[in-house]
Amino acid sequence: MAVFRVAVLYIIFRYIHSIFDVHGHAAWLTSFLRTVSDRRAVWAERGVALAVYMSYLAGVCLVDALSAVMPVRFIADTLLLYLLTQLYHGKNGKRLLAALLIQGMNLFCETLAVYMLYDCRVDGVYGREMYYAIFLFMYVCERVMEKFCIKNIREDTSLKHWDLLIFLPGISAVMMFVMILSETENRLAGSAVSAGIICLNLIVFYICDDLVGAYIKLKESALVARQLESYSNQLNVVMRSEEKVRGLRHDLKHHLSEIQMMADRGKPQEIAEYVRNMQADLLNEGEHISSGNADIDSLMNLMLERAERELENVRCRVSVPEALDMPAFDWNIILGNLMENAIEAAGKSQERLLQVKIRYRKGMLFIEVRNSYSGELVKTEDWYQSTKAYDRTDESQVHGLGIRNVRRIVEKYDGSMEISDEDGLFEVRILMYVPVKEAP
């Protein structure tokens, strides 16, 4: 029995690593790892995970020893599994769904094996062949779920009614208990019902996972569309600047002659005024920043153009190298989401303030976005929820991957992100380690 429990723990381990992002630790584990030196952090992480899994295994064995009533064991094991999922980052609804799904599928596989191989059960105790069959069914179901049915469930989506899937394995388990407690001895009927419930769960999760995949692609398409819009805007900015430069070059002889005459008459103030007018004529209103980095300039000029229209106090400083080793898609997720959220929140406040600082020093990229806001922020656990009100059925109102994906990109570059809100100011500070591209 102990060997079988260890084998089932392996199945559970595979399920959890398919459902959760194993690199996205829960807040309590992240805080613990930050207190450990970098050299020991990996071993500390593995040690904590091993201790949690062994505690779960000990708890399951204790439940087996204390109770033989299947519904009681199922509920206790589900609660223990829910506590095990606290090791990983995710919403409580997702953790409960994972616990019910894993326990439910394992229960269905065990019931199917019992009805198909009833003769292998002796004196109320499973024979060795029965344990082999149960593990085989569990393993096959896990592989099918991992390969086809929960490919996209790892993503934290805002798909409407996604959390209702919690009830599917729960209701299926209740139906299974009703059949078991009714002491149905018809092996064919029991096997058919068990296999049918397994197939029903697989089919429903496959369909929902496919919908989540389509939703994720839709959001990515929205990011690509915004990126194309920023490039188009930057192209217009460059073309307008080029047009003004060509005009200045065409009239440069006349300008120099006029300045020469002013100099001969000894009128430095008129010269200064004339030069200021030339500078004003060259100024491109659509070009708010010009750092030399095309990815940043195109996206920030697009966002700042909107900010200038909607807000009263906008300040932006950008100092970065021309060639940072960071793809435009990652820039779009970070700056696009932060700027969009900041502009929308600031537009609803009285101060209508937006401040942005982006600077690069010795391999480290610093991003600070500060905006005014009004009202109360919605915060759950250790995270802020979006307060945007939009129609989820309207594809034109997709708001990007959200601030949670901003953190995912930050962690991709071994960085950190801090969020604070004080005195009506919401501030996001990001530090990332981004190298400069080497010259070809």
Side-chain angles (χ1 to χ4, degrees):
M1 183 64 177
V3 175
F4 174 72
R5 278 299 179 189
V6 173
V8 173
L9 184 63
Y10 169 72
I11 299 292
I12 293 174
F13 176 81
R14 292 190 63 95
Y15 266 118
I16 289 179
H17 279 232
S18 300
I19 296 174
F20 293 94
D21 182 2
V22 295
H23 299 292
H25 305 297
W28 65 270
L29 180 56
T30 302
S31 300
F32 170 74
L33 293 177
R34 286 177 179 173
T35 63
V36 183
S37 63
D38 294 337
R39 182 178 298 179
R40 299 179 181 177
V42 175
W43 291 106
E45 174 189 341
R46 294 175 180 175
V48 171
L50 180 61
V52 173
Y53 273 91
M54 290 300 99
S55 300
Y56 166 78
L57 181 61
V60 170
C61 293
L62 181 62
V63 171
D64 290 340
L66 295 178
S67 177
V69 181
M70 184 172 291
V72 175
R73 289 168 53 185
F74 178 85
I75 295 175
D77 290 350
T78 302
L79 291 176
L80 289 173
L81 186 54
Y82 175 77
L83 294 177
L84 176 62
T85 60
Q86 301 296 320
L87 187 64
Y88 304 97
H89 176 74
K91 299 178 181 178
N92 286 325
K94 184 177 180 179
R95 294 191 181 109
L96 183 58
L97 172 62
L100 285 172
L101 173 63
I102 297 171
Q103 289 299 118
M105 293 301 293
N106 288 347
L107 171 67
F108 309 149
C109 292
E110 182 176 354
T111 307
L112 177 61
V114 169
Y115 277 105
M116 290 183 65
L117 306 172
Y118 191 80
D119 293 339
C120 296
R121 187 170 180 174
V122 181
D123 297 331
V125 179
Y126 292 160
R128 181 177 300 176
E129 296 83 356
M130 183 70 76
Y131 286 120
Y132 290 155
I134 294 173
F135 178 77
L136 177 61
F137 289 157
M138 288 181 178
Y139 182 77
V140 170
C141 282
E142 189 281 327
R143 293 298 295 164
V144 173
M145 291 287 291
E146 180 181 347
K147 186 70 175 178
F148 302 104
C149 304
I150 50 177
K151 295 183 296 182
N152 299 302
I153 197 175
R154 181 178 296 181
E155 298 286 345
D156 289 322
T157 68
S158 56
L159 192 63
K160 195 173 184 180
H161 303 319
W162 170 250
D163 292 340
L164 290 180
L165 279 178
I166 294 174
F167 295 99
L168 178 61
I171 294 175
S172 300
V174 172
M175 294 171 58
M176 190 68 71
F177 285 134
V178 171
M179 184 185 68
I180 294 173
L181 296 177
S182 63
E183 298 182 355
T184 302
E185 296 183 1
N186 189 322
R187 293 175 57 183
L188 180 60
S191 300
V193 172
S194 302
I197 291 178
I198 292 176
C199 292
L200 177 64
N201 280 264
L202 291 175
I203 291 172
V204 172
F205 272 93
Y206 172 79
I207 294 174
C208 291
D209 188 75
D210 195 54
L211 290 175
V212 171
Y215 182 72
I216 293 173
K217 290 180 180 178
L218 176 64
K219 293 193 291 185
E220 291 177 349
S221 298
L223 281 177
V224 173
R226 183 169 60 193
Q227 186 173 329
L228 292 175
E229 183 183 3
S230 66
Y231 285 156
S232 176
N233 178 78
Q234 187 66 13
L235 179 61
N236 292 332
V237 169
V238 172
M239 291 179 65
R240 290 195 296 269
S241 297
E242 181 66 21
E243 183 179 354
K244 291 189 175 185
V245 170
R246 286 199 304 268
L248 177 63
R249 187 183 299 117
H250 179 269
D251 298 330
L252 185 59
K253 181 172 63 174
H254 305 294
H255 292 311
L256 292 177
S257 299
E258 184 67 23
I259 294 175
Q260 181 64 46
M261 287 188 294
M262 293 179 183
D264 293 340
R265 293 195 300 265
K267 296 182 178 181
Q269 293 182 349
E270 292 184 7
I271 295 176
E273 181 65 23
Y274 195 89
V275 172
R276 280 195 293 269
N277 291 333
M278 291 178 62
Q279 291 176 336
D281 185 64
L282 284 174
L283 184 64
N284 192 339
E285 295 180 355
E287 189 173 29
H288 302 278
I289 64 168
S290 181
S291 67
N293 189 302
D295 295 331
I296 298 178
D297 290 348
S298 59
L299 183 59
M300 290 300 295
N301 279 325
L302 176 66
M303 290 296 178
L304 291 172
E305 183 73 18
R306 174 187 167 188
E308 292 285 355
R309 292 195 307 266
E310 300 181 10
L311 306 180
E312 297 178 358
N313 190 350
V314 179
R315 284 179 284 175
C316 179
R317 288 191 298 173
V318 178
S319 176
V320 296
E322 294 184 7
L324 286 176
D325 192 10
M326 185 172 176
F329 195 80
D330 291 349
W331 282 117
N332 202 0
I333 292 177
I334 294 178
L335 295 179
N337 280 291
L338 292 182
M339 291 293 293
E340 189 175 67
N341 292 340
I343 294 172
E344 182 165 340
K348 298 177 181 178
S349 67
Q350 185 176 0
E351 294 81 2
R352 305 172 75 83
L353 168 69
L354 173 63
Q355 297 176 346
V356 182
K357 295 180 184 178
I358 304 175
R359 61 188 188 277
Y360 188 84
R361 296 289 185 277
K362 298 180 180 180
M364 294 182 292
L365 179 68
F366 301 89
I367 301 175
E368 298 179 17
V369 179
R370 178 186 298 177
N371 64 272
S372 57
Y373 72 93
S374 60
E376 295 183 0
L377 298 175
V378 180
K379 187 176 181 181
T380 59
E381 297 181 357
D382 61 336
W383 204 250
Y384 292 85
Q385 286 188 341
S386 173
T387 57
K388 295 178 181 178
Y390 67 98
D391 182 5
R392 298 178 187 271
T393 62
D394 185 356
E395 296 181 0
S396 66
Q397 298 189 41
V398 176
H399 291 274
L401 297 179
I403 200 168
R404 203 176 288 277
N405 266 13
V406 173
R407 169 162 285 184
R408 178 174 60 83
I409 299 299
V410 171
E411 292 175 348
K412 173 182 174 181
Y413 294 91
D414 299 321
S416 62
M417 180 169 68
E418 296 179 357
I419 302 178
S420 62
D421 58 288
E422 295 180 358
D423 301 327
L425 289 177
F426 187 86
E427 184 174 5
V428 179
R429 294 177 298 275
I430 292 176
L431 167 64
M432 295 188 296
Y433 297 92
V434 183
V436 177
K437 290 182 181 179
E438 296 181 359

